[in-house]
Amino acid sequence: VTLLLIRGGRIVDPGSKRDGVFDIVVDEGRIARIGEKLDAGKARVFDATGLLVFPGFIDLHVHLREPGFEYKESISSGAEAAAAGGFTAVCAMANTSPVNDHRTVTRWIADRSKEVGLARVYPIGAVTKGLKGEELAEFGEMKEGGAVAVSDDGHWVADASVMRRALEYARLFDLPVASHAEDLTLSLKGSMNEGRISTRLGLSAQPAEAESTAVARDIALCALADSRLHLCHLSSGRSIELVRDAKRRGLRVTCEVTPHHLFLTDEAVAQSEFSTDTKMNPPLRTKADIEALIEGIRDGSVDAVATDHAPHHADEKAVDYESAPFGIIGLETAASLFFTKLVLPGLIPIARMAEVFSTGPARVFSLPGGTILEGAPADLTLLDPECEFTVDPRTFRSRSRNTPFAGWKLRGVPAATFVSGKEVYRRT
Ligand SMILES: [Zn+2]
């Protein structure tokens, strides 16, 4: 018998309307009982006194780079980084090599993640073959292989008819289409946000409208196709307004925001003296945008916090700003950043943190989890709210180190992560 008693933690679970100190008994990987001062006989005891117990965190947007780019990250190192960051599940984008645009690749990723046995990895299939924006991939077959959504992330599906057909086709399989909203004819792949800072620095730049106009088109097509649209890594206030309006109209539109867009502005590019760890797409925006993102989290316009974990080898980032690839890693800092910067100062209630890290993402991609229920797999994230630490990339489980948060002093750190009752991470 594999009985586990997680004793005395404060459960924060808006899904079951629970916020208080409870014991959890886990039997054969499932939650058997939740209650006060439970007696579980010979159970192994995990003392969670003083810890917060959340439904397992779910990241809707990561790049695990396998197959094809294992020098940046692998399913194994990525799943280990996820577990260390408190994530019990992550959704892996399709821009691998080969591209995850058919069932064989989808199934291979799903199988490989089961072999690894740490955080769950849900594959996201491509919208179009080879991410080329032309011919639709086989959504039904990829769903059979384990795909939970489809996305050409990294590329916007620029052709409106292709996107319309993708939304209609996805509806047949009840799959959300996740969109990287960026009109390339306006963004021109600019290295940073277009504004006062980019002008001063003389760097190529993209206006926030490259995102928001693409968001507006995607929402219009979502309405036309009566389908499910998920907007990735929204960075501008205008985009959030559009999502708020779409939700008000009853459209099935959801969105995510990333920690870096919440806690950094384009001033970081100058302040870091052109550190390429401030270069990502969409780029860091302005203080006004940050305020709009936070308001979106507060009022429910934002469904999820997702990291857009994008590992790159140090050599790839050690080039001039304009030549560097977009993207930073985020799995091992997301929860602590959010807790320190938004929950501790009282800007976002702790229950809302549980929603955007777990309940919301589970709902967006129709994934298991998101709440702590008897009978459900014991996917749990335990956070130590008192522990202070300084971000040190050398300690990361990820194979890459490209973070703009090195040296940040944070409070609140994942103490242990359980997937199906198995301890996949414990802070030592
Ligand atoms: Zn993207």
PDB file of all heavy atoms in Angstrom, residues 105-128:
ATOM      1  N   VAL A 105       4.940  12.109 -34.187  1.00  0.00           N
ATOM      2  CA  VAL A 105       5.724  12.996 -33.316  1.00  0.00           C
ATOM      3  C   VAL A 105       4.949  13.265 -32.015  1.00  0.00           C
ATOM      4  O   VAL A 105       5.515  13.223 -30.922  1.00  0.00           O
ATOM      5  CB  VAL A 105       6.055  14.333 -34.028  1.00  0.00           C
ATOM      6  CG1 VAL A 105       6.920  15.215 -33.132  1.00  0.00           C
ATOM      7  CG2 VAL A 105       6.754  14.079 -35.348  1.00  0.00           C
ATOM      8  N   THR A 106       3.654  13.537 -32.159  1.00  0.00           N
ATOM      9  CA  THR A 106       2.827  13.810 -30.973  1.00  0.00           C
ATOM     10  C   THR A 106       2.942  12.662 -29.983  1.00  0.00           C
ATOM     11  O   THR A 106       3.194  12.858 -28.787  1.00  0.00           O
ATOM     12  CB  THR A 106       1.343  13.973 -31.378  1.00  0.00           C
ATOM     13  OG1 THR A 106       1.262  14.811 -32.522  1.00  0.00           O
ATOM     14  CG2 THR A 106       0.532  14.564 -30.239  1.00  0.00           C
ATOM     15  N   ARG A 107       2.737  11.444 -30.517  1.00  0.00           N
ATOM     16  CA  ARG A 107       2.756  10.270 -29.643  1.00  0.00           C
ATOM     17  C   ARG A 107       4.137  10.055 -29.036  1.00  0.00           C
ATOM     18  O   ARG A 107       4.273   9.686 -27.879  1.00  0.00           O
ATOM     19  CB  ARG A 107       2.306   9.034 -30.435  1.00  0.00           C
ATOM     20  CG  ARG A 107       2.211   7.801 -29.576  1.00  0.00           C
ATOM     21  CD  ARG A 107       1.183   6.829 -30.110  1.00  0.00           C
ATOM     22  NE  ARG A 107      -0.180   7.264 -29.863  1.00  0.00           N
ATOM     23  CZ  ARG A 107      -1.254   6.808 -30.528  1.00  0.00           C
ATOM     24  NH1 ARG A 107      -1.102   5.926 -31.491  1.00  0.00           N
ATOM     25  NH2 ARG A 107      -2.451   7.234 -30.216  1.00  0.00           N
ATOM     26  N   TRP A 108       5.175  10.313 -29.824  1.00  0.00           N
ATOM     27  CA  TRP A 108       6.530  10.135 -29.321  1.00  0.00           C
ATOM     28  C   TRP A 108       6.784  11.058 -28.127  1.00  0.00           C
ATOM     29  O   TRP A 108       7.337  10.636 -27.108  1.00  0.00           O
ATOM     30  CB  TRP A 108       7.554  10.411 -30.440  1.00  0.00           C
ATOM     31  CG  TRP A 108       8.953  10.119 -29.983  1.00  0.00           C
ATOM     32  CD1 TRP A 108       9.587   8.902 -30.004  1.00  0.00           C
ATOM     33  CD2 TRP A 108       9.853  11.052 -29.372  1.00  0.00           C
ATOM     34  NE1 TRP A 108      10.837   9.027 -29.451  1.00  0.00           N
ATOM     35  CE2 TRP A 108      11.026  10.329 -29.058  1.00  0.00           C
ATOM     36  CE3 TRP A 108       9.782  12.409 -29.063  1.00  0.00           C
ATOM     37  CZ2 TRP A 108      12.132  10.933 -28.448  1.00  0.00           C
ATOM     38  CZ3 TRP A 108      10.877  13.009 -28.459  1.00  0.00           C
ATOM     39  CH2 TRP A 108      12.043  12.280 -28.158  1.00  0.00           C
ATOM     40  N   ILE A 109       6.339  12.305 -28.229  1.00  0.00           N
ATOM     41  CA  ILE A 109       6.529  13.256 -27.125  1.00  0.00           C
ATOM     42  C   ILE A 109       5.744  12.797 -25.890  1.00  0.00           C
ATOM     43  O   ILE A 109       6.270  12.785 -24.766  1.00  0.00           O
ATOM     44  CB  ILE A 109       6.082  14.682 -27.551  1.00  0.00           C
ATOM     45  CG1 ILE A 109       7.019  15.222 -28.631  1.00  0.00           C
ATOM     46  CG2 ILE A 109       6.042  15.633 -26.345  1.00  0.00           C
ATOM     47  CD1 ILE A 109       6.527  16.479 -29.332  1.00  0.00           C
ATOM     48  N   ALA A 110       4.488  12.379 -26.113  1.00  0.00           N
ATOM     49  CA  ALA A 110       3.664  11.926 -24.989  1.00  0.00           C
ATOM     50  C   ALA A 110       4.295  10.701 -24.318  1.00  0.00           C
ATOM     51  O   ALA A 110       4.372  10.621 -23.086  1.00  0.00           O
ATOM     52  CB  ALA A 110       2.254  11.614 -25.476  1.00  0.00           C
ATOM     53  N   ASP A 111       4.777   9.758 -25.127  1.00  0.00           N
ATOM     54  CA  ASP A 111       5.379   8.539 -24.574  1.00  0.00           C
ATOM     55  C   ASP A 111       6.672   8.854 -23.828  1.00  0.00           C
ATOM     56  O   ASP A 111       6.928   8.332 -22.747  1.00  0.00           O
ATOM     57  CB  ASP A 111       5.681   7.530 -25.691  1.00  0.00           C
ATOM     58  CG  ASP A 111       4.409   6.908 -26.251  1.00  0.00           C
ATOM     59  OD1 ASP A 111       3.333   7.094 -25.631  1.00  0.00           O
ATOM     60  OD2 ASP A 111       4.483   6.268 -27.310  1.00  0.00           O
ATOM     61  N   ARG A 112       7.489   9.698 -24.443  1.00  0.00           N
ATOM     62  CA  ARG A 112       8.769  10.047 -23.829  1.00  0.00           C
ATOM     63  C   ARG A 112       8.551  10.712 -22.463  1.00  0.00           C
ATOM     64  O   ARG A 112       9.261  10.430 -21.501  1.00  0.00           O
ATOM     65  CB  ARG A 112       9.539  10.997 -24.765  1.00  0.00           C
ATOM     66  CG  ARG A 112      10.851  11.493 -24.220  1.00  0.00           C
ATOM     67  CD  ARG A 112      11.931  10.405 -24.177  1.00  0.00           C
ATOM     68  NE  ARG A 112      13.081  10.848 -23.390  1.00  0.00           N
ATOM     69  CZ  ARG A 112      13.558  10.214 -22.310  1.00  0.00           C
ATOM     70  NH1 ARG A 112      13.005   9.073 -21.903  1.00  0.00           N
ATOM     71  NH2 ARG A 112      14.581  10.684 -21.643  1.00  0.00           N
ATOM     72  N   SER A 113       7.528  11.552 -22.367  1.00  0.00           N
ATOM     73  CA  SER A 113       7.289  12.241 -21.096  1.00  0.00           C
ATOM     74  C   SER A 113       6.809  11.251 -20.033  1.00  0.00           C
ATOM     75  O   SER A 113       7.121  11.385 -18.856  1.00  0.00           O
ATOM     76  CB  SER A 113       6.298  13.388 -21.284  1.00  0.00           C
ATOM     77  OG  SER A 113       4.985  12.927 -21.149  1.00  0.00           O
ATOM     78  N   LYS A 114       6.072  10.216 -20.449  1.00  0.00           N
ATOM     79  CA  LYS A 114       5.652   9.196 -19.476  1.00  0.00           C
ATOM     80  C   LYS A 114       6.858   8.407 -18.975  1.00  0.00           C
ATOM     81  O   LYS A 114       6.963   8.074 -17.797  1.00  0.00           O
ATOM     82  CB  LYS A 114       4.621   8.254 -20.098  1.00  0.00           C
ATOM     83  CG  LYS A 114       3.252   8.921 -20.173  1.00  0.00           C
ATOM     84  CD  LYS A 114       2.132   7.959 -20.548  1.00  0.00           C
ATOM     85  CE  LYS A 114       0.871   8.755 -20.869  1.00  0.00           C
ATOM     86  NZ  LYS A 114       0.620   8.880 -22.319  1.00  0.00           N
ATOM     87  N   GLU A 115       7.800   8.115 -19.887  1.00  0.00           N
ATOM     88  CA  GLU A 115       9.041   7.431 -19.503  1.00  0.00           C
ATOM     89  C   GLU A 115       9.807   8.253 -18.462  1.00  0.00           C
ATOM     90  O   GLU A 115      10.325   7.717 -17.494  1.00  0.00           O
ATOM     91  CB  GLU A 115       9.954   7.345 -20.728  1.00  0.00           C
ATOM     92  CG  GLU A 115      10.051   6.011 -21.411  1.00  0.00           C
ATOM     93  CD  GLU A 115      10.782   6.186 -22.743  1.00  0.00           C
ATOM     94  OE1 GLU A 115      11.880   6.814 -22.775  1.00  0.00           O
ATOM     95  OE2 GLU A 115      10.225   5.723 -23.740  1.00  0.00           O
ATOM     96  N   VAL A 116       9.881   9.567 -18.712  1.00  0.00           N
ATOM     97  CA  VAL A 116      10.608  10.463 -17.807  1.00  0.00           C
ATOM     98  C   VAL A 116       9.923  10.496 -16.446  1.00  0.00           C
ATOM     99  O   VAL A 116      10.561  10.461 -15.395  1.00  0.00           O
ATOM    100  CB  VAL A 116      10.714  11.884 -18.422  1.00  0.00           C
ATOM    101  CG1 VAL A 116      11.184  12.896 -17.385  1.00  0.00           C
ATOM    102  CG2 VAL A 116      11.653  11.859 -19.616  1.00  0.00           C
ATOM    103  N   GLY A 117       8.591  10.584 -16.455  1.00  0.00           N
ATOM    104  CA  GLY A 117       7.824  10.429 -15.223  1.00  0.00           C
ATOM    105  C   GLY A 117       7.954  11.558 -14.217  1.00  0.00           C
ATOM    106  O   GLY A 117       7.782  11.341 -13.028  1.00  0.00           O
ATOM    107  N   LEU A 118       8.238  12.774 -14.656  1.00  0.00           N
ATOM    108  CA  LEU A 118       8.274  13.910 -13.719  1.00  0.00           C
ATOM    109  C   LEU A 118       6.995  14.716 -13.922  1.00  0.00           C
ATOM    110  O   LEU A 118       5.912  14.191 -13.715  1.00  0.00           O
ATOM    111  CB  LEU A 118       9.543  14.739 -13.950  1.00  0.00           C
ATOM    112  CG  LEU A 118      10.845  13.966 -13.673  1.00  0.00           C
ATOM    113  CD1 LEU A 118      12.062  14.687 -14.211  1.00  0.00           C
ATOM    114  CD2 LEU A 118      11.000  13.741 -12.165  1.00  0.00           C
ATOM    115  N   ALA A 119       7.123  16.003 -14.301  1.00  0.00           N
ATOM    116  CA  ALA A 119       5.909  16.758 -14.629  1.00  0.00           C
ATOM    117  C   ALA A 119       5.274  16.145 -15.884  1.00  0.00           C
ATOM    118  O   ALA A 119       5.969  15.623 -16.749  1.00  0.00           O
ATOM    119  CB  ALA A 119       6.258  18.221 -14.880  1.00  0.00           C
ATOM    120  N   ARG A 120       3.957  16.190 -15.957  1.00  0.00           N
ATOM    121  CA  ARG A 120       3.281  15.714 -17.167  1.00  0.00           C
ATOM    122  C   ARG A 120       3.611  16.647 -18.324  1.00  0.00           C
ATOM    123  O   ARG A 120       3.701  17.859 -18.136  1.00  0.00           O
ATOM    124  CB  ARG A 120       1.764  15.724 -16.985  1.00  0.00           C
ATOM    125  CG  ARG A 120       1.265  14.921 -15.801  1.00  0.00           C
ATOM    126  CD  ARG A 120      -0.246  15.089 -15.632  1.00  0.00           C
ATOM    127  NE  ARG A 120      -0.652  14.643 -14.298  1.00  0.00           N
ATOM    128  CZ  ARG A 120      -0.883  13.360 -13.976  1.00  0.00           C
ATOM    129  NH1 ARG A 120      -0.755  12.426 -14.894  1.00  0.00           N
ATOM    130  NH2 ARG A 120      -1.234  13.036 -12.746  1.00  0.00           N
ATOM    131  N   VAL A 121       3.791  16.090 -19.505  1.00  0.00           N
ATOM    132  CA  VAL A 121       4.007  16.919 -20.694  1.00  0.00           C
ATOM    133  C   VAL A 121       2.894  16.632 -21.689  1.00  0.00           C
ATOM    134  O   VAL A 121       2.748  15.494 -22.150  1.00  0.00           O
ATOM    135  CB  VAL A 121       5.381  16.640 -21.340  1.00  0.00           C
ATOM    136  CG1 VAL A 121       5.547  17.480 -22.608  1.00  0.00           C
ATOM    137  CG2 VAL A 121       6.516  16.924 -20.362  1.00  0.00           C
ATOM    138  N   TYR A 122       2.094  17.640 -21.979  1.00  0.00           N
ATOM    139  CA  TYR A 122       1.029  17.506 -22.972  1.00  0.00           C
ATOM    140  C   TYR A 122       1.504  18.131 -24.277  1.00  0.00           C
ATOM    141  O   TYR A 122       1.839  19.321 -24.314  1.00  0.00           O
ATOM    142  CB  TYR A 122      -0.236  18.236 -22.511  1.00  0.00           C
ATOM    143  CG  TYR A 122      -0.848  17.700 -21.243  1.00  0.00           C
ATOM    144  CD1 TYR A 122      -0.878  18.463 -20.078  1.00  0.00           C
ATOM    145  CD2 TYR A 122      -1.430  16.423 -21.205  1.00  0.00           C
ATOM    146  CE1 TYR A 122      -1.470  17.986 -18.909  1.00  0.00           C
ATOM    147  CE2 TYR A 122      -2.022  15.942 -20.048  1.00  0.00           C
ATOM    148  CZ  TYR A 122      -2.038  16.729 -18.899  1.00  0.00           C
ATOM    149  OH  TYR A 122      -2.623  16.258 -17.755  1.00  0.00           O
ATOM    150  N   PRO A 123       1.504  17.362 -25.359  1.00  0.00           N
ATOM    151  CA  PRO A 123       1.942  17.940 -26.636  1.00  0.00           C
ATOM    152  C   PRO A 123       0.882  18.867 -27.235  1.00  0.00           C
ATOM    153  O   PRO A 123      -0.311  18.646 -27.090  1.00  0.00           O
ATOM    154  CB  PRO A 123       2.107  16.706 -27.544  1.00  0.00           C
ATOM    155  CG  PRO A 123       1.959  15.501 -26.672  1.00  0.00           C
ATOM    156  CD  PRO A 123       1.187  15.928 -25.461  1.00  0.00           C
ATOM    157  N   ILE A 124       1.366  19.917 -27.867  1.00  0.00           N
ATOM    158  CA  ILE A 124       0.517  20.799 -28.679  1.00  0.00           C
ATOM    159  C   ILE A 124       0.897  20.535 -30.135  1.00  0.00           C
ATOM    160  O   ILE A 124       2.077  20.621 -30.495  1.00  0.00           O
ATOM    161  CB  ILE A 124       0.758  22.282 -28.333  1.00  0.00           C
ATOM    162  CG1 ILE A 124       0.364  22.557 -26.873  1.00  0.00           C
ATOM    163  CG2 ILE A 124      -0.026  23.193 -29.277  1.00  0.00           C
ATOM    164  CD1 ILE A 124       0.695  23.956 -26.383  1.00  0.00           C
ATOM    165  N   GLY A 125      -0.079  20.193 -30.936  1.00  0.00           N
ATOM    166  CA  GLY A 125       0.198  19.916 -32.348  1.00  0.00           C
ATOM    167  C   GLY A 125       0.258  21.208 -33.146  1.00  0.00           C
ATOM    168  O   GLY A 125      -0.245  22.254 -32.723  1.00  0.00           O
ATOM    169  N   ALA A 126       0.882  21.126 -34.323  1.00  0.00           N
ATOM    170  CA  ALA A 126       0.956  22.306 -35.195  1.00  0.00           C
ATOM    171  C   ALA A 126      -0.405  22.567 -35.834  1.00  0.00           C
ATOM    172  O   ALA A 126      -1.201  21.650 -36.028  1.00  0.00           O
ATOM    173  CB  ALA A 126       2.003  22.088 -36.276  1.00  0.00           C
ATOM    174  N   VAL A 127      -0.664  23.825 -36.167  1.00  0.00           N
ATOM    175  CA  VAL A 127      -1.861  24.166 -36.945  1.00  0.00           C
ATOM    176  C   VAL A 127      -1.631  23.791 -38.400  1.00  0.00           C
ATOM    177  O   VAL A 127      -2.473  23.162 -39.042  1.00  0.00           O
ATOM    178  CB  VAL A 127      -2.194  25.676 -36.841  1.00  0.00           C
ATOM    179  CG1 VAL A 127      -3.360  26.043 -37.761  1.00  0.00           C
ATOM    180  CG2 VAL A 127      -2.525  26.051 -35.396  1.00  0.00           C
ATOM    181  N   THR A 128      -0.454  24.173 -38.911  1.00  0.00           N
ATOM    182  CA  THR A 128      -0.176  23.888 -40.322  1.00  0.00           C
ATOM    183  C   THR A 128       1.090  23.043 -40.459  1.00  0.00           C
ATOM    184  O   THR A 128       1.990  23.097 -39.616  1.00  0.00           O
ATOM    185  CB  THR A 128       0.013  25.196 -41.132  1.00  0.00           C
ATOM    186  OG1 THR A 128       1.141  25.911 -40.623  1.00  0.00           O
ATOM    187  CG2 THR A 128      -1.234  26.070 -41.054  1.00  0.00           C
TER     188      THR A 128
END
